[in-house]
Amino acid sequence: MSITQQYALDLHRALRHGEHAPPAPGAHDWQLVRELQDRRQFHAVLAGRPARGRLRRALNRLLRHRPAAGR
């Protein structure tokens, strides 16, 4: 059974049972890729390697807007 056929079957079942439709195949692929990259970079930071990309920007944003202890 192909992905499209399985999706059609799941969609049919959901509609018959009055449930929400499942997400279409491929709807969240790019989000998954970004999350995998973030996870890989997180483990790199834990291993002592420098952060890059989205993780580095997020860390810089957090550190830049952190209130100073002496103020």
Side-chain angles (χ1 to χ4, degrees):
M1 182 179 299
S2 72
I3 294 173
T4 306
Q5 291 169 334
Q6 182 65 47
Y7 174 70
L9 182 61
D10 291 342
L11 182 62
H12 175 72
R13 286 179 185 160
L15 292 175
R16 294 215 37 177
H17 293 285
E19 300 170 355
H20 293 288
H28 303 290
D29 288 352
W30 287 113
Q31 180 180 351
L32 176 66
V33 169
R34 283 191 297 271
E35 289 173 5
L36 289 173
Q37 288 173 342
D38 286 347
R39 181 178 172 88
R40 183 176 43 86
Q41 291 173 0
F42 175 72
H43 286 286
V45 170
L46 291 179
R49 296 188 301 272
R52 294 190 186 109
R54 289 172 10 124
L55 183 60
R56 185 177 199 147
R57 286 191 297 273
L59 289 172
N60 283 337
R61 217 174 19 252
L62 284 173
L63 294 175
R64 188 177 37 222
H65 296 296
R66 201 166 123 194
R71 292 183 189 177

